[in-house]
């Protein structure tokens, strides 16, 4: 589910192994299904200018009524512009690989939640952290009915050349791990007595490894192109956090400044901002309760080491354009809530005010705000007089607010509405801050106030 660069790469890689599994591509638009048929129902991977094509994929496309329509590889395709005739709403999904953007995860899973069973397994291959808790809250609130979750991190350099055509620009590794749901499988009670520990009932590991999870893990690790390795949960979490640091620094800064990664190097002013961000992120990670007692956490996530890692990544990807920069440039939804938003949320839980990450989030939101929808904060902006103190900002309220806004081209009507709203706001503030504003005579004869 999610046929971007990563979804195309994973589907092609799994189809390349001996005795490949049966795979179904979940397409959310009829236009993508038509293009899939025009591409001979295949996925293509380009490695060092060598094109390799793989066929034999089934497909399901979401119709206008929210039903999944199935098209098998060995069936006659439907005419262009028409949905497949076979409905797949009652077919159980045993293994689901999710590669959609973090902000689209809940909506994507809600469309197939009725087809997932407690014995099913979902693999999240996404940027950021915190998707699992959001999915549990909004899609699978019933603990007993939750599927098993797997998490994955991929370091391969892949970009989408066209729909269903990916370019494998750099080889890397894939890290996998099974996420333990402590609500479903609580840990054994802590005991101080050696005898009590020996006689206490130990939680069974069998429920944590259903047959679907074992099959998916075995299939991915035998796919040589992925170079996949399984890690215990805590080890995988630390790998996720290291990647999160890189994304939380490089992605928003390059998106705000609209620059390539390498432009962050050799600039003293950018370096100051990077160091402040890293120091704040380092404090949050080293304070996480999940990592208390884990050896060498303070050294591994020290600001000095994280700074060295981030600048190494910037240097190695100097010619790359970050995914968040591309999303902002194309008016697409970003993964901000699961990158910097995760840091802010976890910091709030531990009483740490992440002002740098909070500021970065507001700047990205402001840059992508079209003016057609209300901003994240509903609180009115007040102009403070001399000697007045600003009230505390409810960081968690804003950080957890939804980033799911419809974007696209800025229509003339929306632009005009924004201009009129700005004029009204400025007229209201002018009497209170007259010393900071001045009136200009415009060519059209209208008076407007400008700072």
């Amino acid at each position: 589910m999610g046929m971007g660069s990563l979804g195309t790469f994973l589907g092609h890689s799994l189809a390349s192994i001996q005795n490949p599994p049966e795979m179904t591509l979940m397409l959310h638009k009829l236009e993508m299904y038509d293009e899939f048929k025009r591409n001979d129902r295949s996925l293509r991977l380009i490695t060092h200018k060598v094109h390799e094509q793989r066929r034999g994929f089934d497909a399901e496309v979401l119709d206008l009524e929210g039903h999944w329509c199935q098209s098998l590889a060995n069936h006659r395709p439907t005419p262009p512009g028409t949905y497949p005739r076979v409905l797949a709403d009652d077919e159980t999904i045993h293994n689901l690989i999710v590669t959609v953007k973090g902000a689209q995860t809940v909506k994507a899973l809600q469309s197939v939640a009725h087809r997932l069973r407690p014995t099913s397994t979902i693999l999240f291959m996404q940027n950021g952290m915190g998707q699992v808790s959001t999915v549990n809250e909004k899609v699978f609130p019933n603990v007993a009915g939750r599927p098993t979750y797997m998490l994955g991190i991929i370091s391969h350099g892949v970009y989408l050349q066209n729909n269903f055509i990916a370019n494998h620009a750099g080889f890397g590794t894939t890290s996998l791990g099974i996420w333990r749901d402590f609500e479903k499988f609580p840990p054994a009670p802590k005991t101080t007595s050696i005898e009590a520990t020996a006689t206490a009932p130990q939680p069974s590991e069998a429920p944590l490894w259903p047959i679907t999870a074992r099959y998916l893990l075995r299939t991915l690790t035998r796919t040589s192109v992925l170079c996949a390795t399984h890690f215990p949960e805590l080890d995988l979490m630390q790998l996720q956090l290291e990647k999160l640091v890189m994304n939380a620094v490089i992605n928003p800064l390059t998106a705000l400044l609209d620059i390539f990664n390498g432009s962050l190097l050799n600039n003293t002013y950018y370096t100051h901002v990077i160091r402040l961000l890293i120091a704040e992120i380092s404090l949050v990670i080293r304070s996480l309760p999940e990592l208390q007692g884990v050896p060498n956490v303070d050294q591994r996530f020290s600001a000095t080491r994280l700074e060295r890692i981030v600048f190494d990544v910037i240097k190695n990807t100097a010619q790359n354009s970050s995914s968040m920069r591309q999303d902002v440039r194309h008016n697409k939804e970003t993964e901000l809530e699961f990158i910097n938003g995760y840091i802010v949320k976890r910091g709030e839980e531990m009483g740490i005010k992440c002002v740098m990450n909070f500021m970065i989030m507001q700047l990205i939101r402001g840059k992508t705000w079209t003016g057609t929808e209300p901003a994240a904060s509903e609180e009115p902006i007040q102009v403070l007089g001399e000697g007045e103190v600003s009230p505390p900002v409810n960081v968690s309220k804003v950080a957890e607010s939804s980033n799911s806004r419809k974007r696209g081209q800025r229509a003339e009507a929306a632009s005009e509405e924004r201009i009129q709203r700005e004029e009204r706001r400025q007229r209201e503030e002018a009497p209170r801050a007259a010393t900071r504003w001045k009136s200009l005579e415009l060519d059209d004869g209208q008076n407007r106030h400008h700072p």
Side-chain angles (χ1 to χ4, degrees):
M1 177 175 283
M3 293 310 300
S5 58
L6 185 54
T8 302
F9 173 63
L10 288 172
H12 184 279
S13 300
L14 288 170
S16 302
I17 64 177
Q18 189 176 8
N19 300 321
E22 296 182 0
M23 282 180 287
T24 301
L25 310 183
M26 311 286 285
L27 309 176
H28 64 287
K29 289 182 180 179
L30 181 60
E31 293 80 4
M32 287 196 69
Y33 175 59
D34 288 338
E35 187 170 355
F36 178 61
K37 291 184 293 184
R38 290 196 297 271
N39 287 346
D40 199 19
R41 301 179 66 97
S42 66
L43 298 180
R44 189 184 306 171
L45 187 68
I46 305 173
T47 308
H48 299 313
K49 299 183 180 180
V50 177
H51 293 241
E52 187 177 6
Q53 198 170 27
R54 295 293 176 182
R55 298 181 178 86
F57 299 96
D58 299 333
E60 290 186 14
V61 59
L62 192 65
D63 66 14
L64 298 177
E65 298 179 356
H67 301 295
W68 287 98
C69 305
Q70 187 181 66
S71 172
L72 300 179
N74 55 359
H75 286 190
R76 174 188 286 183
T78 56
T82 59
Y83 291 95
R85 298 181 179 87
V86 180
L87 293 180
D89 282 344
D90 296 329
E91 185 174 325
T92 299
I93 297 177
H94 298 289
N95 285 301
L96 179 65
I97 300 178
V98 178
T99 60
V100 299
K101 294 281 187 181
Q104 302 166 355
T105 305
V106 169
K107 183 178 180 181
L109 287 180
Q110 284 174 339
S111 67
V112 295
H114 61 286
R115 300 172 58 185
L116 293 163
R117 306 288 181 260
T119 55
S120 302
T121 298
I122 303 177
L123 169 61
F124 295 95
M125 298 284 284
Q126 300 169 305
N127 281 334
M129 296 179 67
Q131 292 93 338
V132 170
S133 59
T134 304
V135 168
N136 282 343
E137 177 185 352
K138 298 183 179 180
V139 185
F140 300 109
N142 180 18
V143 176
R146 287 176 187 167
T148 299
Y149 301 133
M150 288 179 61
L151 304 175
I153 311 169
I154 193 164
S155 63
H156 291 268
V158 186
Y159 65 89
L160 199 65
Q161 183 162 310
N162 208 334
N163 285 336
F164 311 107
I165 303 175
N167 196 313
H168 192 187
F171 288 88
T173 60
T174 306
S175 305
L176 304 169
I178 295 181
W179 186 83
R180 177 167 182 164
D181 190 342
F182 284 99
E183 292 182 290
K184 195 172 184 179
F185 304 110
K190 294 183 179 180
T191 57
T192 56
S193 170
I194 298 179
E195 294 181 359
T197 303
T199 58
Q202 298 298 318
S204 173
E205 293 295 328
L208 303 179
W209 294 78
I211 188 171
T212 54
R214 296 199 300 269
Y215 173 79
L216 182 58
L217 186 61
R218 184 171 61 249
T219 303
L220 290 168
T221 51
R222 73 183 180 94
T223 305
S224 58
V225 177
L226 297 179
C227 195
T229 307
H230 170 256
F231 288 88
E233 183 182 1
L234 277 179
D235 291 347
L236 184 69
M237 181 182 182
Q238 293 177 74
L239 293 173
Q240 284 183 295
L241 288 168
E242 286 183 346
K243 185 174 182 181
L244 182 73
V245 175
M246 305 170 202
N247 288 333
V249 174
I250 300 173
N251 283 16
L253 291 181
T254 54
L256 283 172
L257 300 169
D258 195 17
I259 56 177
F260 288 97
N261 295 357
S263 298
L264 293 173
L265 294 171
N266 303 321
N267 188 312
T268 304
Y269 305 103
Y270 295 164
T271 302
H272 290 330
V273 177
I274 291 173
R275 285 176 173 166
L276 287 171
L277 270 173
I278 290 176
E280 188 174 273
I281 295 170
S282 171
L283 176 61
V284 172
I285 293 177
R286 289 183 287 113
S287 303
L288 290 174
E290 300 97 310
L291 300 182
Q292 299 308 305
V294 177
N296 299 322
V297 166
D298 287 341
Q299 291 77 19
R300 180 170 185 172
F301 294 101
S302 66
T304 302
R305 180 177 180 272
L306 294 180
E307 182 181 325
R308 184 168 61 250
I309 292 175
V310 167
F311 279 107
D312 285 344
V313 172
I314 293 174
K315 187 182 299 183
N316 294 332
T317 61
Q319 301 301 318
N320 293 2
S321 180
S322 70
S323 59
M324 190 175 294
R325 181 192 179 216
Q326 294 301 111
D327 291 338
V328 169
R329 291 181 66 138
H330 294 93
N331 292 323
K332 293 183 178 179
E333 213 163 15
T334 69
E335 295 177 296
L336 186 71
E337 299 297 329
F338 299 99
I339 300 177
N340 299 85
Y342 179 82
I343 298 295
V344 173
K345 180 179 178 181
R346 297 308 304 270
E348 280 288 300
E349 292 173 359
M350 298 176 292
I352 302 173
K353 300 297 183 182
C354 302
V355 292
M356 287 296 298
N357 284 273
F358 179 76
M359 180 189 68
I360 289 291
M361 291 179 67
Q362 304 318 302
L363 290 173
I364 291 289
R365 286 168 173 162
K367 190 178 180 69
T368 57
W369 185 47
T370 61
T372 59
E373 296 185 13
S377 176
E378 300 294 339
E379 300 176 1
I381 299 176
Q382 299 179 356
V383 179
L384 301 177
E386 184 177 357
E388 294 182 357
V389 180
S390 175
V393 179
N394 189 345
V395 179
S396 59
K397 175 182 175 182
V398 183
E400 294 174 4
S401 62
S402 172
N403 190 33
S404 56
R405 308 183 188 98
K406 294 181 181 178
R407 299 186 179 91
Q409 297 296 330
R410 297 182 178 179
E412 291 184 3
S415 299
E416 183 64 24
E417 180 183 354
R418 184 178 183 182
I419 292 173
Q420 292 174 358
R421 184 167 58 253
E422 181 67 16
E423 289 176 343
R424 288 196 300 268
R425 184 184 67 81
Q426 292 175 0
R427 283 195 297 267
E428 292 172 358
E429 290 184 357
R432 292 179 293 175
T435 58
R436 296 188 297 131
W437 300 75
K438 61 181 179 179
S439 177
L440 297 177
E441 186 74 23
L442 302 181
D443 294 338
D444 58 0
Q446 296 179 355
N447 291 328
R448 298 184 184 180
H449 295 287
H450 293 267

